[in-house]
Amino acid sequence: MRPLLGICLALGSLIQNCLGSSLPRTTPCSSLTVTPPDGASLINATATERYNVTFDGPTYNGAAGSVNICDVEVYLTHGDAGDAVRFAIYLPLDGWNGRWQGTGGGGFAAGSFDFELVPAVTSGYSAGATDAGVNLAGDTDVWYNSTQLVENFVHLSFHEMTVLGKDLSEKFYGRKPAYSYWFGCSTGGRQGMSEAQRYPEDYDGIFAGAPAINWDKITMADYWPLTVQNQGGEPVPLCKLSAIGNASVNACDLLDGAIDGLISNPLKCKFDAKSVVGMEVQCDGNTTTTITERDAIVWNKIRNGFKDEKGNLLWYGLQPGTDYLDQAIQPGFLISLQWISDFLLRSPGLDVSDIKQDELVDLFHQSVSEFGELWGTDNPDLSAFHARGGKIMTWHGWADDLISPLGTLDYWKRVVDLAGGEKKTDEFYRVFMAPGLGHCGGGPGPQIPSDSVAPLVEWVEKGKAPETILFSGNGQSRNICKFPKELEYCGKGNVSDAASWECV
């Protein structure tokens, strides 16, 4: 199939006719049959043609148009576990581009469904999503104690979705997808990395944005800001923490050669919050207050990362220019609260909003020892995925307030060490660090591409490995550099324009 695809790509605008719409569908939608993956049994399956399916709202794996699909809804179970896992496989009725796209979820939801399925189909992919048999509301109290549902969520269900989706695509169109791609951010990014680590044959290209790898560690580190606040004294209000954060940007803005309100490489920012003790800030409208030494200590501790009582770093902190938001105020970050109460303490509903440092350190070690192997998704050995020609592309925001970008770089460095250097790693895994970008978007910096899969397709199918990725939004644009390169102002030109910056 790949030689045919290469011919189609060379014909440019004829690709849709060559790969998709000119090929008659070999099986009517309503006649499609489902073959359960090994280890699973079919509960029910329906296949229905649906027309003018849309998704209203912003998306980040392409534009969401109005699509006509064969919607295959599948429910599977495993042995006597009693689970019922939903899979939605969307097969475009016209214009199939010959490719499959698996999509991920966020938080404790395994799939996003139409939010990512409709854009994928709009771009011509057959695509799929799954709920892993757990609720999409992210309520873990109903499944934390089920071995099967945990396995479903951590890795199994999106592998089974991939097997189902490829098989149904072949049955519907008469041939296998020529290429398969994964798209996901946060939990979806972790799922993509899980595919590369556990099921390297599933995908040719994986986009893993701000991946929630190191799960056993980040869920605990996300509680650290609240622990710092809980250590004693009156909690520092967010307005003060934000004011200190703004001061850190002002102090380090020029490190990249231009004043643009962004820190291109926070690792170079040596800002100490104690330097702004005594600074007056406004909180709650016209109320003026002053930054105290304790305020500065709290900000520094959050920035410097989760440490034990002896000062040993357990996991990374949030970077200068990052809004601390709900991690630093009661009741804390919901996913961390769920992880502690449900998975670690096995006490759903327990109030865990007042944990101190010594308690959190113990819980961290418990999390790593009990859940690291299954949940961590941080195996740096990607040799099998590399050997089959797979490519992974990741972007991560330096201003991510939920998943420290340093965790992604920690993983990248371990991959580099195991693979034999940066040059070798560049063959299959590239990371792009975006100044001022929040978690999967947001923040004051340029925003994520409208279609993060497109450059991955160019890399997989044409061998055009990305050196930069264009981000734009908030009145500015940047060609984000492949790490470890970083942006530097050229010395002339509008600081808001990508053309005024270079990678060094």
Side-chain angles (χ1 to χ4, degrees):
M1 292 303 171
R2 297 197 181 190
L4 171 63
L5 183 59
I7 295 172
C8 295
L9 289 171
L11 295 177
S13 63
L14 298 180
I15 184 173
Q16 291 290 342
N17 288 332
C18 184
L19 288 181
S21 58
S22 65
L23 296 174
R25 298 191 293 273
T26 58
T27 303
C29 177
S30 59
S31 299
L32 283 172
T33 58
V34 172
T35 303
D38 292 342
S41 301
L42 181 65
I43 297 175
N44 185 48
T46 61
T48 308
E49 290 190 3
R50 295 172 57 199
Y51 295 88
N52 302 316
V53 178
T54 60
F55 177 82
D56 295 327
T59 59
Y60 52 30
N61 61 326
S66 177
V67 297
N68 303 323
I69 59 172
C70 174
D71 178 2
V72 187
E73 298 287 330
V74 181
Y75 286 84
L76 299 180
T77 191
H78 301 86
D80 59 0
D83 59 331
V85 184
R86 178 195 171 196
F87 302 86
I89 309 299
Y90 284 9
L91 307 169
L93 296 180
D94 49 67
W96 183 50
N97 64 16
R99 305 179 181 97
W100 158 260
Q101 185 177 140
T103 67
F108 280 117
S112 302
F113 289 82
D114 282 10
F115 169 61
E116 292 176 356
L117 290 179
V118 174
V121 175
T122 300
S123 297
Y125 294 86
S126 54
T130 180
D131 69 357
V134 304
N135 59 82
L136 293 177
D139 298 328
T140 55
D141 57 337
V142 297
W143 61 271
Y144 76 95
N145 211 23
S146 166
T147 300
Q148 184 64 58
L149 290 176
V150 167
E151 184 179 4
N152 290 350
F153 179 84
V154 173
H155 67 91
L156 181 61
S157 287
F158 39 98
H159 165 64
E160 292 180 333
M161 173 196 74
T162 304
V163 174
L164 284 171
K166 290 182 178 182
D167 182 60
L168 287 166
S169 296
E170 182 178 7
K171 289 175 178 176
F172 193 54
Y173 300 111
R175 61 186 184 84
K176 297 179 181 178
Y179 291 95
S180 296
Y181 295 92
W182 176 269
F183 176 86
C185 192
S186 192
T187 283
R190 185 197 64 80
Q191 292 167 322
M193 297 308 296
S194 174
E195 283 290 292
Q197 295 168 22
R198 294 176 182 268
Y199 308 102
E201 295 300 320
D202 277 1
Y203 288 93
D204 299 291
I206 291 172
F207 170 78
I213 56 175
N214 312 295
W215 180 273
D216 51 314
K217 301 179 181 73
I218 63 172
T219 47
M220 305 307 298
D222 275 343
Y223 193 102
W224 174 244
L226 187 60
T227 288
V228 174
Q229 295 272 47
N230 288 343
Q231 282 303 104
E234 194 71 21
V236 180
L238 285 182
C239 60
K240 283 189 170 184
L241 295 176
S242 296
I244 297 174
N246 291 336
S248 74
V249 174
N250 293 335
C252 297
D253 196 350
L254 262 176
L255 292 176
D256 57 18
I259 298 177
D260 60 343
L262 303 173
I263 305 174
S264 290
N265 184 357
L267 296 177
K268 292 182 176 180
C269 181
K270 306 305 180 184
F271 173 79
D272 184 343
K274 291 182 180 179
S275 65
V276 295
V277 170
M279 180 178 70
E280 292 187 346
V281 300
Q282 283 195 333
C283 292
D284 300 325
N286 296 322
T287 302
T288 300
T289 186
T290 301
I291 301 296
T292 67
E293 185 171 358
R294 181 177 180 276
D295 299 335
I297 290 173
V298 166
W299 191 93
N300 281 343
K301 283 186 174 181
I302 294 173
R303 181 260 178 97
N304 292 335
F306 178 16
K307 297 181 179 181
D308 64 17
E309 299 91 333
K310 295 181 180 180
N312 299 309
L313 180 67
L314 299 180
W315 202 245
Y316 304 101
L318 304 177
Q319 295 307 293
T322 303
D323 287 330
Y324 290 167
L325 300 177
D326 59 351
Q327 297 98 308
I329 57 173
Q330 291 286 353
F333 183 49
L334 178 59
I335 288 177
S336 294
L337 300 177
Q338 291 175 290
W339 184 252
I340 293 171
S341 65
D342 295 359
F343 291 90
L344 296 182
L345 301 180
R346 303 284 171 171
S347 300
L350 181 67
D351 183 0
V352 294
S353 62
D354 194 34
I355 293 175
K356 304 299 194 296
Q357 184 177 17
D358 58 343
E359 298 171 283
L360 192 66
V361 169
D362 289 342
L363 289 168
F364 174 87
H365 291 303
Q366 178 189 350
S367 182
V368 172
S369 63
E370 292 185 13
F371 297 95
E373 184 175 354
L374 178 62
W375 285 78
T377 322
D378 59 351
N379 183 357
D381 185 359
L382 299 174
S383 57
F385 185 72
H386 179 207
R388 58 98 67 213
K391 314 292 184 187
I392 303 172
M393 193 178 79
T394 288
W395 47 244
H396 203 141
W398 276 120
D400 193 322
D401 60 300
L402 300 183
I403 299 176
S404 174
L406 299 186
T408 289
L409 296 185
D410 179 282
Y411 178 76
W412 174 83
K413 290 173 183 175
R414 290 190 293 123
V415 173
V416 168
D417 290 343
L418 195 61
E422 292 178 16
K423 185 176 181 180
K424 195 68 176 179
T425 304
D426 277 351
E427 295 177 5
F428 63 94
Y429 179 37
R430 296 186 174 213
V431 172
F432 301 81
M433 304 301 295
L437 182 72
H439 185 62
C440 295
Q447 296 299 290
I448 61 177
S450 59
D451 186 354
S452 292
V453 181
L456 184 60
V457 172
E458 290 286 299
W459 187 11
V460 169
E461 299 179 18
K462 296 183 180 180
K464 296 182 178 179
E467 295 293 331
T468 62
I469 300 175
L470 179 63
F471 281 51
S472 61
N474 290 328
Q476 51 194 326
S477 61
R478 298 286 186 278
N479 288 310
I480 303 302
C481 314
K482 173 179 65 68
F483 190 82
K485 290 187 175 182
E486 61 189 78
L487 285 167
E488 185 175 278
Y489 182 55
C490 295
K492 60 181 180 180
N494 188 335
V495 296
S496 297
D497 293 341
S500 302
W501 297 80
E502 60 184 347
C503 293
V504 296

